[in-house]
Amino acid sequence: FRPEEDVIGITNGIDTSVFDVMNEGRFGGYTLKKTFEITDEGNRETTDYLTHQKKIKEDLCEAGIIPDKEKLLFLFIGRYSSEKGIDMLPDMIEEVRRQGGQCVVMGLHTGDSTASSKIEALKIFAAKESNKDFIRVYDDLHKDQLNLFVDKSEKEHDVRKGWLIRAASSVVMVPSHAEACGLVPMEAHCTGALVVAPYVQGLRDMCYPVGRPDLTKGRSLDLSNGGNAVVYDSHEDAGMASAAISDAFRLLDGISDDEKNAFMKRTHD
């Protein structure tokens, strides 16, 4: 019996259409439409993922749901429980601020008093006038995620707020200490987002590390050839997690809008 050869694992999964920005049943008037142009070689897809994301950010910002329409948006979404790495968020969020980005933390309480107390502290932090330009913290699942989006003119749209926040996010933070099967990275990839996560069991199957040939059998991945995540080695090391946030900024700031659009398309597809 050779475990490495005779045993395979079948992971859990998600219905990707639920989070697909091209699913009109989920995104309504904010659905991304595929576009093409005719060339001598045939039809070439020209779908503009980045402009679609920018429009959503503008509308969310005008409605006060996210702080800024321009800054790179980092998202944490998940259950507020200790295994999800809630204790890592303060350092990661501080690095987002230091790098000039913005972040949204949204999820629901689970009865984990330790995690809930940390989220309450983050809510107090986010409510300070000096912090309102870069962070929002949400903990009411129905009000903050499942309710329909209402814009600045008080018009109700046929899309849930939580879906738009996902689609507006360029980076999704998944600082879990343990995962059986990380569903959040799968959801993030449906909207073309980069993932920041520790390289722990349960996240490895869907996180393909950028610039880590030691983890990808000698192949060096980047945002153009299969990489979709910035990973760090120790799930308990806040310094490593913060450095991964910095690396995500560097990666996205270091490429053109066309390259960002190509990454979003490849990750979505």
Side-chain angles (χ1 to χ4, degrees):
F1 177 69
R2 297 161 297 178
E4 69 279 4
E5 297 179 21
D6 299 333
V7 177
I8 62 171
I10 300 175
T11 64
N12 294 328
I14 62 171
D15 179 355
T16 56
S17 69
V18 171
F19 304 98
D20 187 350
V21 290
M22 293 185 177
N23 182 347
E24 190 169 1
R26 293 289 179 174
F27 281 87
Y30 284 91
T31 304
L32 175 63
K33 306 291 187 181
K34 276 193 176 185
T35 58
F36 297 87
E37 69 175 7
I38 300 174
T39 70
D40 292 340
E41 291 76 31
N43 290 343
R44 183 177 74 87
E45 186 178 347
T46 57
T47 309
D48 196 337
Y49 291 78
L50 191 59
T51 297
H52 175 254
Q53 183 183 72
K54 288 179 178 179
K55 169 60 177 170
I56 292 174
K57 286 175 72 175
E58 288 175 2
D59 289 358
L60 289 176
C61 179
E62 288 180 347
I65 294 172
I66 67 173
D68 194 277
K69 66 179 183 179
E70 299 290 347
K71 294 177 180 178
L72 204 64
L73 179 58
F74 283 65
L75 171 67
F76 171 89
I77 181 168
R79 292 182 291 110
Y80 293 152
S81 57
S82 296
E83 70 267 20
K84 295 300 182 182
I86 303 301
D87 58 317
M88 308 295 282
L89 286 178
D91 290 281
M92 298 174 81
I93 288 169
E94 181 56 37
E95 185 63 22
V96 170
R97 171 160 59 179
R98 197 180 74 82
Q99 294 289 340
Q102 62 180 321
C103 57
V104 168
V105 175
M106 66 180 187
L108 72 161
H109 294 282
T110 62
D112 182 329
S113 59
T114 300
S116 288
S117 66
K118 294 182 184 301
I119 293 298
E120 289 304 316
L122 276 179
K123 287 179 68 177
I124 294 170
F125 173 79
K128 292 182 179 179
E129 198 62 37
S130 59
N131 298 326
K132 288 181 178 179
D133 64 339
F134 94 100
I135 184 171
R136 298 286 188 272
V137 179
Y138 298 120
D139 62 357
D140 186 321
L141 177 64
H142 290 277
K143 177 183 176 183
D144 302 323
Q145 295 188 49
L146 300 183
N147 279 359
L148 296 179
F149 170 58
V150 177
D151 65 22
K152 67 172 183 176
S153 66
E154 299 187 359
K155 176 185 175 182
E156 186 175 83
H157 292 260
D158 52 350
V159 58
R160 292 174 173 177
K161 285 192 286 186
W163 267 245
L164 288 182
I165 294 171
R166 293 169 188 266
S169 302
S170 295
V171 182
V172 175
M173 303 179 290
V174 189
S176 301
H177 294 303
E179 285 284 355
C181 176
L183 302 183
V184 170
M186 296 183 196
E187 298 167 6
H189 294 150
C190 292
T191 59
L194 181 67
V195 170
V196 171
Y199 202 58
V200 297
Q201 186 66 39
L203 295 176
R204 296 175 184 176
D205 289 334
M206 62 288 300
C207 291
Y208 303 129
V210 172
R212 293 293 303 270
D214 56 315
L215 301 177
T216 51
K217 299 181 178 179
R219 184 184 176 201
S220 185
L221 302 180
D222 58 34
L223 298 184
S224 68
N225 71 346
N228 62 16
V230 177
V231 304
Y232 51 99
D233 292 328
S234 173
H235 64 90
E236 296 178 321
D237 192 318
M240 285 187 177
S242 297
I245 295 293
S246 177
D247 287 344
F249 267 99
R250 176 180 52 79
L251 285 169
L252 293 175
D253 283 347
I255 59 177
S256 68
D257 283 354
D258 285 345
E259 290 170 318
K260 289 177 185 175
N261 196 65
F263 167 73
M264 293 175 73
K265 177 186 183 304
R266 181 184 58 74
T267 305
H268 166 269
D269 291 350

